[in-house]
Amino acid sequence: MFIIRKWVDVNEGDWFYNDVMEATNMVLEDGEVFVAGINYNKFEEGKPFVYEEIKGQAGQTSFSLPVLIKPTDNNPLYVFIDGVQTIYETAETNSKGLTDVELYTGVKAGQVVSFCSYGEPLLDSDWKRPPVSWTGDLPRAALSAATTYFYDPFSRNHQEYLYAAGQPLRRLSIPSEVWADTMGDAAAVTKIATKAIGYRTDVYCVSPGGSVFLPFNLNGVTCKFNYWTKNSGGAFKFKSEDIKATTLKPAYNNCFFPNAIIQRGEAFHLINKLRKVFYARFTDKEAPTTGINEPITAFQGQRVFRLNGNYPAGKNKLKVTVKFKEEKKDKVQETPPYSEIDNHTVVFNQPFSEGDEVTFYYLKDVSERFADVGKDSAIYYQTKGERVVQNKDAFWKIAVSEMEDETFSNNDPLIAGINIKKKLDGAAVVTNMGRPVGGTEPDETWFLGNSAMTRAEAVAFLDRFMKWTIERFK
């Protein structure tokens, strides 16, 4: 069925189809996809997302949907009977302002008739993208045997299986300590499950209280769940039931939005993923992130240490400790004098002996370069009169913080910021496209992740990134 399709707005005939499919099929080392869709949850009037299952009665041909939908060539309505697509006769608005669908022939008693439509997401006229990016809550269903539900990831005899549209989903095993103190707190449990599943479409998880959480694309879809129960006497019983997980706050992530204008934060978040891929493929070390905690065992006569990470050289932010081999095991001697040559190289005045252990530590909190990274910030849309707060843990702020200290051999930074000349109560004043407006205040450098990225900016940065990649990994 269509619910498992990756992108609903990318067709094989599109000029960008091959490139998009190649990029979206790329999975990073941590299992995250390289290119993801854009979240959306609002639709054009009469063109909502629809997935409704109705159990038919013998000979029934007319079915009433709980929404108003006006099918078009660009937004068709699909009808399935027990998972097999069929053709309907009419789809008309009834006296209640909802939609009635008439089939050509009646169904058998107990057959499930499914009505499906992608809908047309509501888009901002300037950005050509959804105006709201919202994660929502995952679909949830409580098991009928929740109190006796049993699962052991190490047992070969008590495996469980969940199928959606005939396809199996993989169970996510979330450590018990993550669920600690959440019993009875539906909001906390939902938050944990939503973070674990994200926008993946092939996984599910079960809370300790026996609630099954499914991907967003399976909202309202009847799934087959085979699992085990264990009673108080220790007896096991295999159980199979149909479950339908639902949510009142669904969100969707199955559209690529090829005509959308990309934001700086999204672009650099994508590049940061690529940077991590290069480090994984071309080095034996992990990509530098927001700190350094690196112990290095010195060789005889070593003075120069190149770190797998970046720190602000010359600002006394790097902490260095030394444990000399000839000293007592737990005794730490005073650190010898050293110089910070650049943001990842330290040179000591005196050489070390073989076996001496030098530990370098640096944890970045607030950005050294961008005033809106590493802390909460806000932007003010001048024309709309709207103030938007951006939390310090926004996805693009984390990405920028991880890569902002990457430099070329001449210490020029890989990424640059944008000068802000006008603020209102601490918020950067911007246009509807997120670009800074003119002003007379002293310049303050922001990254401004919510601003539109022009084609020229994209090409210029890709060129810099290409040069940095060749220099870094040659």
Side-chain angles (χ1 to χ4, degrees):
M1 294 173 64
F2 85 101
I3 54 175
I4 59 174
R5 182 177 170 187
K6 187 172 184 63
W7 303 119
V8 301
D9 60 345
V10 176
N11 299 310
E12 194 167 354
D14 294 329
W15 63 269
F16 51 80
Y17 175 83
N18 290 334
D19 292 332
V20 169
M21 289 300 103
E22 286 181 8
T24 56
N25 288 332
M26 182 177 178
V27 180
L28 306 182
E29 303 293 329
D30 59 359
E32 185 182 2
V33 296
F34 177 49
V35 177
I38 299 176
N39 308 341
Y40 65 98
N41 67 330
K42 295 183 179 180
F43 298 87
E44 297 283 355
E45 184 178 357
K47 301 176 182 179
F49 179 92
V50 175
Y51 185 84
E52 186 70 22
E53 295 179 342
I54 302 176
K55 184 172 290 188
Q57 301 177 0
Q60 183 177 356
T61 60
S62 182
F63 296 83
S64 296
L65 301 183
V67 296
L68 172 64
I69 179 173
K70 300 176 181 179
T72 64
D73 290 342
N74 294 328
N75 181 42
L77 175 66
Y78 301 91
V79 180
F80 299 85
I81 300 178
D82 283 349
V84 179
Q85 187 173 356
T86 188
I87 299 175
Y88 62 91
E89 184 175 2
T90 60
E92 298 180 344
T93 304
N94 59 28
S95 58
K96 298 180 180 179
L98 305 177
T99 297
D100 289 339
V101 179
E102 188 74 24
L103 304 184
Y104 281 102
T105 58
V107 300
K108 297 179 181 179
Q111 284 190 309
V112 177
V113 184
S114 304
F115 301 87
C116 317
S117 178
Y118 300 130
E120 291 192 14
L122 181 67
L123 303 181
D124 184 277
S125 58
D126 294 325
W127 290 82
K128 312 299 181 185
R129 59 186 291 144
V132 177
S133 182
W134 178 45
T135 56
D137 289 336
L138 283 177
R140 171 182 174 272
L143 296 176
S144 61
T147 56
T148 56
Y149 169 76
F150 173 81
Y151 174 73
D152 181 359
F154 305 105
S155 173
R156 300 182 63 181
N157 298 322
H158 300 98
Q159 294 295 303
E160 66 180 35
Y161 305 93
L162 192 150
Y163 299 91
Q167 296 197 16
L169 274 68
R170 178 171 57 87
R171 189 188 199 278
L172 294 178
S173 293
I174 302 175
S176 58
E177 54 267 22
V178 176
W179 297 107
D181 302 325
T182 61
M183 188 63 70
D185 189 342
V189 171
T190 301
K191 184 177 181 180
I192 292 173
T194 300
K195 182 178 179 180
I197 294 178
Y199 286 99
R200 285 179 287 183
T201 60
D202 59 349
V203 296
Y204 72 99
C205 69
V206 185
S207 73
S211 290
V212 181
F213 290 90
L214 299 182
F216 283 108
N217 66 316
L218 295 179
N219 183 35
V221 178
T222 299
C223 301
K224 176 70 71 174
F225 192 31
N226 302 325
Y227 61 97
W228 290 87
T229 62
K230 183 179 181 181
N231 62 26
S232 57
F236 294 98
K237 183 179 180 180
F238 188 69
K239 186 175 180 60
S240 179
E241 68 175 287
D242 290 336
I243 62 172
K244 181 186 289 188
T246 58
T247 176
L248 297 177
K249 296 193 297 183
Y252 306 94
N253 191 257
N254 58 355
C255 285
F256 181 72
F257 295 107
N259 296 319
I261 296 176
I262 196 170
Q263 296 176 335
R264 274 172 56 85
E266 291 174 323
F268 281 73
H269 177 63
L270 188 66
I271 290 296
N272 191 43
K273 290 183 179 181
L274 192 60
R275 181 184 70 98
K276 293 181 178 180
V277 169
F278 288 164
Y279 270 98
R281 292 187 178 182
F282 303 128
T283 73
D284 57 355
K285 298 181 179 180
E286 295 183 356
T289 55
T290 58
I292 300 172
N293 188 6
E294 186 176 2
I296 300 177
T297 301
F299 56 79
Q300 184 63 38
Q302 183 174 2
R303 293 177 54 220
V304 180
F305 292 80
R306 291 182 62 85
L307 309 181
N308 182 44
N310 302 302
Y311 63 93
K315 295 189 177 182
N316 298 320
K317 295 294 182 90
L318 184 66
K319 181 180 179 181
V320 182
T321 58
V322 179
K323 184 179 292 185
F324 294 95
K325 184 178 181 181
E326 61 270 16
E327 296 293 327
K328 292 182 180 180
K329 183 177 181 180
D330 297 326
K331 184 177 179 181
V332 177
Q333 185 171 308
E334 183 178 351
T335 303
Y338 63 89
S339 300
E340 298 173 357
I341 302 302
D342 54 33
N343 65 352
H344 57 272
T345 306
V346 173
V347 177
F348 286 85
N349 294 355
Q350 300 296 326
F352 286 95
S353 300
E354 184 173 354
D356 292 342
E357 186 174 280
V358 187
T359 301
F360 301 90
Y361 178 82
Y362 164 66
L363 180 61
K364 176 165 54 178
D365 185 11
V366 178
S367 171
E368 297 285 340
R369 300 181 52 218
F370 305 119
D372 58 339
V373 174
K375 62 180 180 180
D376 294 343
S377 61
I379 55 176
Y380 179 80
Y381 292 101
Q382 183 171 254
T383 303
K384 297 185 292 184
E386 180 183 0
R387 181 187 176 94
V388 177
V389 176
Q390 304 163 321
N391 296 328
K392 67 178 181 179
D393 57 353
F395 74 95
W396 60 265
K397 291 190 179 185
I398 296 175
V400 171
S401 183
E402 290 182 339
M403 67 184 298
E404 68 171 310
D405 294 323
E406 295 285 12
T407 60
F408 292 89
S409 58
N410 62 357
N411 286 333
D412 283 349
L414 172 63
I415 59 179
I418 296 177
N419 289 335
I420 301 297
K421 295 180 177 293
K422 184 177 181 180
K423 292 190 294 183
L424 180 64
D425 295 330
V429 181
V430 298
T431 66
N432 284 353
M433 301 300 287
R435 309 295 294 184
V437 301
T440 58
E441 298 178 18
D443 286 358
E444 186 173 81
T445 303
W446 288 39
F447 181 79
L448 217 57
N450 290 75
S451 63
M453 194 171 193
T454 66
R455 283 168 55 87
E457 289 175 322
V459 170
F461 179 72
L462 285 175
D463 182 62
R464 286 180 63 83
F465 184 74
M466 178 184 66
K467 293 178 179 177
W468 174 84
T469 300
I470 294 174
E471 181 180 288
R472 181 64 182 81
F473 300 106
K474 64 181 178 181

